[in-house]
Amino acid sequence: MKQALISALVAAVVAILAVGLAGTLGDGSADAVANARVLSFTMEGIEDSIVNGERYNGVYSQLLTHSDNSICYLTRVQFKAMQAPEDSNICSIELDEFTGHWQVSATVEEGGGSEARCNARCLVWE
């Protein structure tokens, strides 16, 4: 619930700034406000991107939304069972150059036995 409220607040602030910027850059007419962007945010993925180092090491990624009209941010970073220096985990958001979509990735470096859980949301403008 807290994440949804923060996302809504960020979307509202960016929308207000976009409308204000459109008004100052345009001729001040209603057309400038009408051309302002509509902002929304995606829901968090139903399943986290998870790598359990007790079973395997490596990267697991999930596609989010197209990158042309969005920016994404991490909403969940959780590392469990870290017991040794080899337990090096990473949560990241990257661009999948093949599909043009953002993707959230969980990584457990080779030799690690811990677990990484990651999830994300995206702010989308139209």
Side-chain angles (χ1 to χ4, degrees), residues 15-26:
I16 290 168
L17 291 174
V19 169
L21 185 61
T24 59
L25 293 178

Side-chain angles (χ1 to χ4, degrees), residues 1-9 41 43-44 121:
M1 181 68 178
K2 182 179 176 182
Q3 293 170 348
L5 291 174
I6 291 172
S7 296
L9 179 62
F41 64 91
M43 297 306 293
E44 206 173 49
R121 279 187 159 174

Side-chain angles (χ1 to χ4, degrees), residues 11-105:
V13 168
V14 173
I16 290 168
L17 291 174
V19 169
L21 185 61
T24 59
L25 293 178
D27 61 0
S29 68
D31 290 337
V33 175
N35 290 329
R37 307 252 179 209
V38 175
L39 296 173
S40 62
F41 64 91
T42 62
M43 297 306 293
E44 206 173 49
I46 295 172
E47 294 183 21
D48 293 337
S49 183
I50 303 171
V51 176
N52 186 339
E54 290 182 1
R55 296 184 187 148
Y56 65 94
N57 296 139
V59 179
Y60 179 74
S61 300
Q62 291 188 14
L63 290 177
L64 298 169
T65 190
H66 203 276
S67 64
D68 282 349
N69 61 334
S70 65
I71 188 76
C72 300
Y73 54 95
L74 292 170
T75 56
R76 180 182 182 117
V77 175
Q78 183 178 16
F79 303 138
K80 292 183 176 179
M82 297 187 74
Q83 299 176 3
E86 295 82 24
D87 290 328
S88 176
N89 301 339
I90 302 167
C91 285
S92 62
I93 297 175
E94 301 162 342
L95 180 61
D96 180 341
E97 301 213 8
F98 181 72
T99 64
H101 283 70
W102 294 110
Q103 63 184 10
V104 60
S105 300

